[in-house]
Each structure stands twice: as structure tokens, then as C-alpha cells.
Amino acid sequence: MYVEKMKAAIEKQIEKEYEFSPVRGCAAQLTDIVAGDERLAQIVCEDFDNKRTVIECEKKIKAFVDKNHKGNAGYCPPWKAEEIIREYFGLGSASEQAAAPTQMPAPKPKVMTLADLI
């Protein structure tokens, strides 16, 4: 539920960005971080409701690049971008996420057929 809501909100935020925009890269990385975790998606959705955006998050990444560039070259490695994204949206570190217990999906109810009764 929250994962789909988050993805829809992200699409709405980036719909006017050009194809290779850093904002689109940030959105893709946020989606990868959350993956299918409903708890993380809920946190992101609450942040979106509180006026946090992917665009503003990408500005934090750009600030890192601007602060750490040499000459005309600047780069933010993926691990650092992930750290910035996690901090901006309050998602905790990757190690905290790995240590958190994962909720197993409820098993699908078994559909009985006539053959099962025989």
C-alpha cells in the first residue's frame, strides 16, 4: 500500500524532470533503498506529506558535490548518496535496516479443489 503510494508520489514529483536529471537518479536510488519495505515507504510518505521532496533531497547531494569537488570535476559516490538520502528521509543506516526484523508476508490461503477432497 505505502510502497505504491510512495512510487506514485515520486513519479508526480519528477514528471517534469528531464530523462537524465540527477533528481531522477535520486528518485531511483530512493526507490531502490525502500524496495518493498512498507515501513520505510510509510516513513517516506509521511515526509512527503510534511513537504519533503526528492528535489530537495537531491539538493543535499549536490551540496556534497559542490563542497568536495576538485577543479571542474565533482562526484558523489553511490554509497554517499545513499547515506544522504537515508539521512534526509530518516530511514536509518543500511546496517540498521539489515538488522531490523523483516515482516514475513501472510501466507496465501490455500484454495481447495475437488481433487483435495478425494
Side-chain angles (χ1 to χ4, degrees):
M1 177 175 132
Y2 283 107
V3 172
E4 293 306 315
K5 181 179 175 184
M6 180 197 75
K7 287 179 180 179
I10 289 172
E11 284 302 315
K12 185 164 180 64
Q13 289 180 30
I14 66 171
E15 67 187 354
K16 293 181 182 175
E17 298 292 327
Y18 73 98
E19 182 180 6
F20 301 111
S21 165
V23 174
R24 285 188 176 269
C26 181
Q29 196 164 2
L30 173 60
T31 302
D32 289 345
I33 290 168
V34 170
D37 190 322
E38 287 289 325
R39 182 181 57 83
L40 294 181
Q42 181 180 5
I43 292 168
V44 173
C45 287
E46 288 170 358
D47 283 343
F48 288 163
D49 290 343
N50 289 317
K51 308 298 183 214
R52 288 190 171 263
T53 65
V54 174
I55 294 166
E56 290 300 316
C57 182
E58 195 282 324
K59 287 180 182 177
K60 300 282 186 189
I61 296 170
K62 183 177 182 328
F64 172 84
V65 172
D66 291 345
K67 180 180 175 189
N68 295 290
H69 76 284
K70 297 288 183 190
N72 291 332
Y75 173 69
C76 183
W79 64 266
K80 185 62 180 176
E82 179 173 342
E83 184 180 291
I84 293 167
I85 293 166
R86 286 179 173 280
E87 182 180 323
Y88 182 81
F89 287 106
L91 301 177
S93 69
S95 59
E96 290 173 344
Q97 184 176 347
T102 56
Q103 186 177 8
M104 296 298 291
K108 292 184 178 178
K110 181 171 168 61
V111 177
M112 293 188 69
T113 65
L114 193 52
D116 292 331
L117 298 174
I118 298 177

